[in-house]
Amino acid sequence: MSTPELKATLTLPQTTFPMKANLPQNEPARLKQWAETRLYEEIRKARKGSDRYLLHDGPPYANGPIHLGHALNKCLKDFIVKSKTMAGFDAPYVPGFDCHGLPIEIKVDEQFGRKKLEMSSIDFLAACRAYAQKYIDLQTSQFVRLGILGRWEQPYVTMSKEYEAKTLEIFYRFFEQDFVYKGLKPVYWCIHDRTALADAEIEYEMHTSPSVYVKYALTSDPAALDAALSGKSVSTIIWTTTPWTLPASLAVAFHPELDYVALEQDGNTYIVADALAASVREACKLQDAKEIARFKGAKLERAPFRHPFLDRSILGVLADYVTTEQGTGAVHTAPAHGADDFYTGAKYGLDQTCNVDNTGRLRNGLPEYDGMTVFKANAPIIELLKERGVLMGRNDIYHSYPHCWRCHNPVIFRATEQWFIEIDKKMGETTFRQLALDEIKNSVKWDPSWGEERISNMIATRPDWCISRQRIWGVPIAVFLCNQCHTPLKNAAVNHSIVSLFEKDGISAWHTQEVEQLLPSGTKCASCGNSDFRKEMDILDVWFDSGASWHAVMAAEPEIAPPANLYFEGGDQYRGWFHTSLLTSVGVSADHKAPYTMVGTAGWTLDEQGRAMSKSLGNGVDPVDIANRLGAEIVRLWVASVDFREDVAASENLMQRVADNYRKLRNTFRFLLGNLNGFEPEQHSLPYEDLLPLDQYMLARTRELVEKVSGADGKGGWYGDFQFHRVYHAVNEFCIVDLSALYLDVLKDRMYTFAPTSIARRSAQTVIYKIAEALVRLVAPILSFIADEVWSYLPADANRAASVHLTHFPTPDEVAPAIPALLTEWQKLLQIRDEALKALETDRKAGRIGKALEARIEIHPTADLAPMLHHFKSSLKELFNVSQVEVTENTANGTIQAITLPADGTKCERCWNYYADDGPDHVQPFGPWPKVCGRCAVALEQMGYER
């Protein structure tokens, strides 16, 4: 039999854990395994009876594939749910989908084109439902692909019959408690989508508007204002950026307390606010005008003016909202096209008729602009002002302007009959608005903290909530209106029957059944006694839909009853889901409380240049594409690497960098597993006090990491604070600095050359096992795939759960006892090691040594460090990775010194260490091998080799 090579006697790492992850192939296989073993359901069983932690899912809109913002949102939620589960909480996750609303209607319109005109309302609703279901199915598969665990087989969808009925139930609570009214008011109106919009559906974008200064001639005796004006030709000047509203102009508003001046030039006198006179002179070419009178705005109340181009008298009115920030101090007032204008018009009894139809076309006007859409009408109206000699100034202004957040077209204010919820409704000793503000301040934690001020300001300043939309795909405002006096029928029994009908047949029932089928015989109007009714066909604002989820989802299941521990979405939801959920719950829930106790907010996803992602820029990052090419773990690790509270950057380049970090982490796990070959934890683990000093130190460092990541009790730490980026960076640093660069590097001599069953090697394996077992649990919420994969490769343990996701976080005490002095001592040792490594590198560059094992190091310590170095002397050779270490006398200058010298003696051909020829472990023949050190000889004998 031939003599084996000496290197064949080394105990090298062995594991079947693959080096290459092949994530695009292996992740789907693991997802299949999770589905087959019903992992989510098993987690629920394992945590049954534990304290509950409920993250209530804000529903993404089901109208397309997911984008990176979706991935950021859902991965963060998955981190939270999994970390709470591993902290011992019962943390169910019920995903949701928002299905009603305009975007789907528009897509179905485009899909059917002119065929839509031939479709019944029922067929159209069915087409909308099918379109939404298509994307629910697609998004579900994409979220599952990212490793998001949840109740995907039974999500909540806002178009389900049960949800629609529950939404209507919440509306009826508001309706029956007198929060709801129908009234004529100016609301944001999208002429492109032909519907009213709530404040939550408005985005401000830059827009170019025509800016005009227009003369309104005074038609009464100007001497009534000031004697100096007697006999003068007097006008006021208004400024507007919406010339299309001038046909609706019925008044000019002045501030009662402001000073107004009369400026005369070329025989004409103009009244403007004193504070704005200089800018008006410039804009209207009145530089030579002289002030001839001055008076308070209060004197202009009910002064009559002439409309600039219509045969109409314009009333002077007073208003506190007139400011001196811009314009002239005289505000043209069109009650049909502005909130302030509307209320001023009501105060002064002005006509509030709106002559702009739902497509944005002007009606009942002059031939120059009649029938034109509002924005196209600007030009001919400006031309008309020129012709009438009343245009005093003209330019363009580029400014922030309200846009529809769905179609991104500019919107208008338009007075229409809409359904509203009264925000200042009395509720006991307070109001609805104040109660909501109190809940924001006293009952909810906001993360980031600025969220409290943001939503408080929105609630404090918001108008009544416009809840009606002039569309079809949504929950109807299922109210019956008297055909004689138009009073809504308020009958709780009737309302209850409609809710039951919706539970059975969904919203389609409102479109298929006639009034006579829906109302009990003999139903009469409480106001006029009439028995002839019609159905309201407007639908509820979709934000009312999603805002009712606390009732439709949480309150419907005792296990997830409100309040939720967390609502977590993007910053836009302060005006959306956070906002409407708060209002619906405070308004009509049994306890009038917020539906959540904490609200978290994620930033926006941007490219590396800080630009929003868009198709036109081609800078988007598709999470599904990344998952299919690099792996879902890379998307998840990217999410963990950023501080979600800020806007976050993503690009192909950044994803590749994250993939590199993933490979390093995977290699660390592989090295740990490889060195656990042949280790049986129950049989081979050593007690802490029997571990070698370096091994004890590494457990102390692992304990430190565990305490930071999951807290002293395994329920807090960075995971408890949702500081996932800190978890990522700490784990990454631990793997690179503590493990790869230190522990696993210096262990190689012990792990490879000592006998497999030696105490020193078992000491290292005990610690490697503890580190691997703790580390895999720490990363499981973030790196769900590799954590479960590593878990399955750990040495067998009869008590181990089938999946890492069924376990708990490690606690610090589970890893190692707390010995702060140990960490302090080793920090000093590692500083000395740094000095030794510098000395080795200097000599290596100078050619005095080759590999570190060819050297011995003399340490000249300071007096305070000498006792410690002597105490740890047996660990220094391994720590410095050299053949010999000698601790000598104290240095004279008080600074520790590390001196490198060639190693003494002969090189062992098995471990490559040098041993003094006259030492106890000197190199000599062993069996067929000529040069084996005494230490390796002992190892070979223990392995069964003979001398």
Side-chain angles (χ1 to χ4, degrees):
M1 185 176 178
S2 60
T3 301
E5 290 189 34
L6 199 52
K7 67 179 180 182
T9 68
L10 299 175
T11 307
L12 298 176
Q14 288 186 36
T15 179
T16 55
F17 183 80
M19 180 183 295
K20 295 192 70 174
N22 291 324
L23 296 180
Q25 293 76 39
N26 291 333
E27 287 173 342
R30 189 154 296 274
L31 289 171
K32 183 181 178 186
Q33 177 191 331
W34 290 348
E36 290 172 349
T37 58
R38 301 189 67 78
L39 177 59
Y40 176 75
E41 289 74 17
E42 290 301 311
I43 292 171
R44 297 274 57 71
K45 289 179 189 175
R47 294 294 181 270
K48 189 172 183 180
S50 301
D51 291 343
R52 190 196 74 167
Y53 187 92
L54 179 62
L55 183 157
H56 181 46
D57 192 30
Y61 201 68
N63 70 331
I66 69 169
H67 52 65
L68 195 62
H70 288 122
L72 175 72
N73 176 285
K74 278 293 193 285
C75 285
L76 287 169
K77 289 176 180 175
D78 197 51
F79 297 170
I80 293 167
V81 171
K82 282 176 177 161
S83 62
K84 289 300 180 182
T85 297
M86 295 190 72
F89 292 95
D90 179 15
Y93 177 61
V94 181
F97 293 95
D98 201 359
C99 309
H100 292 136
L102 191 60
I104 287 176
E105 264 200 63
I106 290 171
K107 290 294 183 182
V108 174
D109 276 345
E110 293 172 355
Q111 181 179 329
F112 286 95
R114 295 187 62 82
K115 288 183 181 178
K116 184 197 170 185
L117 300 175
E118 303 166 12
M119 296 174 70
S120 68
S121 59
I122 300 305
D123 289 339
F124 186 76
L125 290 174
C128 290
R129 190 174 298 278
Y131 185 92
Q133 189 62 52
K134 169 185 172 184
Y135 286 106
I136 289 172
D137 295 341
L138 176 62
Q139 289 186 7
T140 296
S141 68
Q142 293 173 331
F143 288 137
V144 169
R145 177 66 186 86
L146 293 177
I148 317 297
L149 286 181
R151 200 175 77 182
W152 293 107
E153 295 174 2
Q154 193 187 349
Y156 78 86
V157 292
T158 61
M159 68 178 183
S160 73
K161 295 173 184 177
E162 297 80 8
Y163 195 104
E164 290 170 342
K166 292 292 186 182
T167 301
L168 185 60
E169 203 167 59
I170 291 298
F171 167 75
Y172 281 148
R173 287 190 191 179
F174 277 111
F175 183 56
E176 291 167 12
Q177 294 173 37
D178 297 326
F179 284 85
V180 178
Y181 66 93
K182 189 174 189 180
L184 179 71
K185 279 190 178 183
V187 294
Y188 287 116
W189 186 273
C190 178
I191 64 175
H192 180 266
D193 295 328
R194 303 181 187 181
T195 188
L197 299 173
D199 286 10
E201 296 169 308
I202 296 300
E203 287 183 345
Y204 282 84
E205 300 177 17
M206 298 309 292
H207 179 73
T208 300
S209 298
S211 164
V212 295
Y213 292 80
V214 182
K215 178 171 70 174
Y216 280 51
L218 182 70
T219 58
S220 63
D221 183 359
L225 299 176
D226 191 287
L229 300 179
S230 179
K232 303 287 185 181
S233 175
V234 177
S235 302
T236 191
I237 301 173
I238 66 94
W239 172 76
T240 183
T241 58
T242 54
W244 64 267
T245 63
L246 289 172
S249 183
L250 295 176
V252 177
F254 303 90
H255 196 290
E257 301 301 322
L258 286 180
D259 286 331
Y260 285 80
V261 293
L263 304 176
E264 185 176 46
Q265 179 174 303
D266 300 331
N268 292 302
T269 303
Y270 306 98
I271 298 171
V272 297
D274 177 44
L276 291 162
S279 62
V280 173
R281 288 174 186 270
E282 183 69 27
C284 299
K285 298 179 180 176
L286 297 174
Q287 288 89 344
D288 297 332
K290 292 182 172 53
E291 180 183 326
I292 61 171
R294 174 182 291 260
F295 44 84
K296 293 291 184 184
K299 299 198 74 172
L300 290 158
E301 185 174 24
R302 298 198 176 276
F305 296 88
R306 184 169 59 245
H307 191 281
F309 54 80
L310 294 175
D311 185 13
R312 178 188 299 162
S313 180
I314 298 295
L315 185 67
V317 298
L318 302 181
D320 291 338
Y321 56 78
V322 176
T323 72
T324 57
E325 291 178 5
Q326 57 187 349
T328 67
V331 179
H332 129 68
T333 301
H337 298 298
D340 291 333
D341 305 50
F342 181 86
Y343 295 116
T344 297
K347 176 182 176 182
Y348 285 91
L350 303 177
D351 183 10
Q352 295 172 329
T353 302
C354 180
N355 286 307
V356 174
D357 68 17
N358 65 353
T359 67
R361 295 184 182 278
L362 279 73
R363 301 298 182 192
N364 306 315
L366 297 180
E368 286 88 345
Y369 56 81
D370 192 52
M372 288 186 171
T373 56
V374 291
F375 298 114
K376 287 186 178 178
N378 280 329
I381 288 174
I382 292 171
E383 193 59 36
L384 191 58
L385 295 171
K386 285 182 186 176
E387 293 172 4
R388 300 296 173 92
V390 293
L391 183 65
M392 299 291 294
R394 157 80 168 93
N395 54 40
D396 286 334
I397 182 171
Y398 186 59
H399 62 143
S400 179
Y401 188 87
H403 285 64
C404 172
W405 79 336
R406 291 193 177 95
C407 67
H408 297 285
N409 285 302
V411 300
I412 64 172
F413 261 110
R414 177 173 177 257
T416 62
E417 273 207 323
Q418 301 291 337
W419 292 89
F420 296 90
I421 288 177
E422 183 185 351
I423 298 299
D424 289 308
K425 173 89 166 64
K426 285 286 289 182
M427 293 181 71
E429 297 299 314
T430 185
T431 64
F432 183 21
R433 186 193 304 273
Q434 189 56 51
L435 196 55
L437 290 169
D438 291 344
E439 280 296 287
I440 291 168
K441 181 178 182 181
N442 301 323
S443 301
V444 184
K445 177 184 177 182
W446 302 89
D447 184 9
S449 59
W450 51 255
E452 178 182 342
E453 182 179 3
R454 185 171 183 183
I455 195 168
S456 292
N457 290 340
M458 289 178 173
I459 295 291
T461 60
R462 67 157 300 138
D464 287 350
W465 182 4
C466 177
I467 58 171
S468 51
R469 298 293 180 272
Q470 290 64 51
R471 308 301 299 188
I472 183 173
W473 177 231
V475 177
I477 297 178
V479 171
F480 299 93
L481 298 164
C482 174
N483 272 328
Q484 184 164 304
C485 69
H486 311 298
T487 301
L489 177 67
K490 194 172 291 183
N491 184 311
V494 168
N495 295 342
H496 180 74
S497 71
I498 301 300
V499 170
S500 299
L501 180 66
F502 276 34
E503 285 176 343
K504 178 174 172 287
D505 297 330
I507 60 175
S508 299
W510 194 248
H511 298 270
T512 57
Q513 298 197 28
E514 299 300 326
V515 171
E516 295 73 23
Q517 297 172 275
L518 298 170
L519 285 179
S521 176
T523 302
K524 293 186 181 297
C525 173
S527 294
C528 70
N530 179 52
S531 58
D532 184 21
F533 293 89
R534 68 183 185 276
K535 294 183 291 184
E536 173 62 72
M537 298 309 294
D538 283 357
I539 65 169
L540 286 166
D541 170 16
V542 292
W543 288 111
F544 192 99
D545 270 29
S546 58
S549 64
W550 60 267
H551 176 67
V553 181
M554 291 196 287
E557 298 185 43
E559 289 185 354
I560 56 173
N565 298 84
L566 180 66
Y567 274 37
F568 186 93
E569 298 299 330
D572 55 336
Q573 297 308 315
Y574 286 101
R575 64 178 182 180
W577 189 54
F578 300 156
H579 195 115
T580 59
S581 296
L582 177 75
L583 291 180
T584 53
S585 185
V586 169
V588 297
S589 68
D591 58 3
H592 300 292
K593 301 288 288 181
Y596 40 68
T597 58
M598 180 175 175
V599 170
T601 309
W604 299 105
T605 52
L606 308 172
D607 68 10
E608 286 186 279
Q609 283 73 49
R611 301 173 301 178
M613 294 184 178
S614 68
K615 288 181 180 178
S616 59
L617 290 175
N619 61 346
V621 177
D622 181 358
V624 178
D625 171 62
I626 296 296
N628 290 338
R629 287 190 295 110
L630 303 177
E633 290 280 58
I634 306 310
V635 178
R636 297 177 67 90
L637 199 56
W638 166 75
V639 173
S641 72
V642 298
D643 182 357
F644 68 79
R645 293 166 179 83
E646 308 291 338
D647 291 342
V648 298
S651 66
E652 176 70 22
N653 179 46
L654 289 173
M655 291 294 178
Q656 291 290 350
R657 279 192 231 164
V658 170
D660 288 340
N661 288 340
Y662 171 84
R663 281 188 284 272
K664 292 173 185 175
L665 184 62
R666 185 178 184 86
N667 286 337
T668 300
F669 273 123
R670 188 170 188 273
F671 193 83
L672 292 171
L673 292 171
N675 282 291
L676 289 174
N677 183 45
F679 181 75
E680 297 178 17
E682 292 184 12
Q683 183 181 345
H684 299 142
S685 293
L686 299 182
Y688 177 82
E689 56 272 16
D690 291 346
L691 298 176
L692 271 59
L694 175 60
D695 300 332
Q696 289 182 342
Y697 166 70
M698 281 312 302
L699 281 188
R701 287 290 292 144
T702 307
R703 177 194 165 95
E704 235 185 358
L705 178 69
V706 167
E707 191 160 7
K708 289 176 181 176
V709 170
S710 57
D713 58 356
K715 294 179 181 291
W718 290 330
Y719 270 124
D721 294 334
F722 308 154
Q723 301 271 2
F724 306 118
H725 63 296
R726 299 189 75 175
V727 176
Y728 165 84
H729 290 295
V731 167
N732 199 41
E733 183 179 356
F734 181 77
C735 289
I736 293 172
V737 177
D738 291 88
L739 293 182
S740 296
L742 174 62
Y743 188 55
L744 299 181
D745 184 48
V746 302
L747 270 191
K748 288 176 182 175
D749 180 57
R750 199 191 325 170
M751 295 305 297
Y752 298 177
T753 67
F754 282 42
T757 59
S758 69
I759 295 297
R761 198 169 185 278
R762 288 299 192 213
S763 174
Q765 285 187 308
T766 300
V767 171
I768 288 172
Y769 175 72
K770 277 183 166 284
I771 291 173
E773 211 263 352
L775 192 60
V776 72
R777 286 185 282 161
L778 289 181
V779 302
I782 295 169
L783 291 169
S784 297
F785 292 97
I786 190 177
D788 214 35
E789 184 185 6
V790 170
W791 190 255
S792 67
Y793 280 89
L794 287 172
D797 184 337
N799 298 319
R800 183 178 297 124
S803 168
V804 71
H805 300 298
L806 291 165
T807 64
H808 292 77
F809 282 134
T811 61
D813 289 341
E814 179 187 331
V815 175
I819 309 176
L822 179 68
L823 286 167
T824 303
E825 286 180 327
W826 274 88
Q827 284 172 357
K828 294 175 183 177
L829 280 174
L830 292 175
Q831 289 172 355
I832 297 169
R833 179 178 184 261
D834 289 341
E835 293 301 316
L837 295 183
K838 288 178 188 174
L840 286 168
E841 185 60 24
T842 299
D843 280 12
R844 185 182 291 112
K845 287 181 177 178
R848 289 190 286 270
I849 61 166
K851 297 183 181 300
L853 287 175
E854 296 174 11
R856 69 182 174 92
I857 289 183
E858 283 185 1
I859 301 293
H860 296 260
T862 53
D864 58 320
L865 293 176
M868 181 190 70
L869 283 168
H870 284 294
H871 175 72
F872 286 106
K873 185 175 180 182
S874 61
S875 301
L876 299 180
K877 174 181 174 306
E878 180 181 55
L879 185 62
F880 299 164
N881 196 25
V882 294
S883 287
Q884 292 129 19
V885 176
E886 183 180 353
V887 181
T888 63
E889 317 76 48
N890 298 347
T891 55
N893 61 6
T895 304
I896 193 166
Q897 289 183 345
I899 299 173
T900 306
L901 300 166
D904 292 333
T906 305
K907 176 182 177 182
C908 172
E909 292 181 349
R910 183 171 182 272
C911 68
W912 296 4
N913 278 267
Y914 284 77
Y915 289 89
D917 294 333
D918 57 353
D921 287 326
H922 64 277
V923 174
Q924 59 184 320
F926 182 97
W929 303 294
K931 292 183 179 181
V932 175
C933 69
R935 192 187 70 177
C936 283
V938 172
L940 289 168
E941 284 181 332
Q942 290 179 2
M943 295 166 67
Y945 293 97
E946 297 181 357
R947 286 185 180 270

